[in-house]
Amino acid sequence: MTAQDMKVTTEAAGMAMEPAIRAPWMEGIQRLLRQKTAIFGLIIVCLLLLTALLAPLIAPYDPVAPDLPSRLQAPSATHFLGTDELGRDILSRIIYGSRISIQVGILAVGISLIFGTFLGAISGYFGGKPDMIIMRAIDIVMAFPYILLAIAITAMLGPGLNNAMIAIGIVGIPIYARVVRGAVLSVKEMEYIEAAKVSGCNSLRIIMKHVLPNCLAPLIVQATLGIGTAILDAAGLSFLGLGAQPPKPEWGIMLNKGKDVMHIAPWVIMFPGIAILFTVLGFNLLGDGLRDALDPRLRNTN
């Protein structure tokens, strides 16, 4: 068989595989829509996104402007969730805080996803010494407790929201690298990868066009779960004074400032805590639903 015949055969195989690749995704979406908990998580995530996008329109007050005569007011018709120690409307601060949480979740996971995918793809596809070096480095990073490593990196970089996002992104890299490496090890043994090699495709083209597209399912699941974890970690760093700084309406800051008056105004910490709870719950439920929907082993059981 000539090289031209092999190229034609490879292209024909690729065209024949397109419906086969699309079908599992369509089946996965259908299974996702049949899961009530996943739909509940999706609703929470969509509400959070809408809240973040429409914050200037739906927030009743300025989230950072103090109003000392109104300090520590209980929930009422004027302030639905009450006010904090400086008289700021808690509802408005929670609404604007959703913007910060979404920003942290997406950017931190983006850092982890980009670098983790690169390292995992190199490690899984080439094997040998690159695999050994990368995985041993990842093992060393994973030997440290996740949150303690994030605290250490943030402390070295300096307090601030951007540094907190970088720290959370760095400590998440090993997770995505392991996920991608495992998927690549499975995919690179497929026949169409061998056909691509025989047809003369270089390694970069094979990885970008043939390997990584078939590793998307576990990456999407991990990224969805990772956003909730990143939001929770960012709130923890802000609570410790290492993340976002006052007067930003960030949920972790609200918990930190509210802890001193929680005995006389419990709503100051209760409502930000509920916001964090439902946000993380929404992403976790959606991530679990995606995992069950996209797992090929469950196609015959659902």
Side-chain angles (χ1 to χ4, degrees):
M1 181 180 292
T2 65
Q4 183 67 24
D5 293 336
M6 179 62 71
K7 182 177 181 180
V8 172
T9 303
T10 304
E11 292 178 352
M15 294 175 61
M17 284 179 61
E18 284 188 4
I21 292 175
R22 290 174 185 170
W25 281 95
M26 295 302 298
E27 294 174 5
I29 293 174
Q30 293 174 356
R31 285 197 300 273
L32 177 67
L33 296 178
R34 290 196 296 265
Q35 299 182 49
K36 294 181 179 179
T37 55
I39 294 301
F40 180 64
L42 180 61
I43 291 173
I44 293 176
V45 171
C46 289
L47 288 176
L48 179 69
L49 292 174
L50 284 175
T51 300
L53 289 173
L54 302 177
L57 300 177
I58 61 179
Y61 297 93
D62 188 323
V64 298
D67 182 14
L68 295 180
S70 302
R71 63 190 304 269
L72 298 180
Q73 287 187 2
S76 63
T78 305
H79 299 279
F80 293 115
L81 302 184
T83 61
D84 63 9
E85 71 284 353
L86 295 179
R88 297 170 297 192
D89 184 67
I90 292 177
L91 176 59
S92 299
R93 289 179 64 76
I94 289 177
I95 290 173
Y96 273 89
S98 64
R99 285 186 157 190
I100 297 176
S101 295
I102 291 296
Q103 176 188 356
V104 169
I106 293 177
L107 293 182
V109 168
I111 293 172
S112 300
L113 188 61
I114 292 172
F115 290 98
T117 299
F118 173 78
L119 293 175
I122 296 298
S123 176
Y125 185 81
F126 292 103
K129 288 186 177 180
D131 181 36
M132 182 186 67
I133 294 172
I134 292 173
M135 295 313 297
R136 294 300 75 77
I138 287 175
D139 290 339
I140 292 173
V141 174
M142 295 191 72
F144 294 92
Y146 183 91
I147 189 63
L148 291 182
L149 184 58
I151 291 173
I153 295 174
T154 308
M156 288 188 295
L157 296 176
L161 183 62
N162 292 335
N163 291 340
M165 287 189 292
I166 293 173
I168 295 170
I170 291 174
V171 298
I173 289 175
I175 299 174
Y176 293 87
R178 282 181 172 271
V179 170
V180 173
R181 177 180 179 271
V184 169
L185 287 174
S186 175
V187 170
K188 76 173 187 177
E189 301 299 331
M190 299 294 182
E191 293 181 358
Y192 64 89
I193 300 297
E194 295 298 326
K197 291 179 180 178
V198 173
S199 65
C201 292
N202 58 44
S203 297
L204 179 61
R205 180 179 176 84
I206 293 174
I207 292 174
M208 298 300 297
K209 187 175 181 179
H210 299 289
V211 176
L212 290 182
N214 289 282
C215 301
L216 285 178
L219 276 177
I220 291 173
V221 173
Q222 185 58 50
T224 305
L225 294 169
I227 291 176
T229 302
I231 291 173
L232 185 61
D233 292 338
L237 291 175
S238 296
F239 181 84
L240 296 173
L242 296 173
Q245 300 297 304
K248 283 185 180 292
E250 202 275 336
W251 296 340
I253 293 177
M254 296 174 68
L255 292 176
N256 178 280
K257 298 300 182 182
K259 73 182 187 302
D260 297 327
V261 295
M262 60 181 295
H263 59 290
I264 58 174
W267 57 85
V268 176
I269 67 168
M270 180 174 67
F271 294 117
I274 291 174
I276 295 173
L277 169 65
F278 275 97
T279 298
V280 177
L281 177 65
F283 280 105
N284 285 349
L285 290 178
L286 180 59
D288 287 339
L290 287 172
R291 180 189 58 198
D292 295 340
L294 299 178
D295 190 340
R297 294 171 296 182
L298 301 177
R299 289 176 191 165
N300 298 325
T301 60
N302 290 339

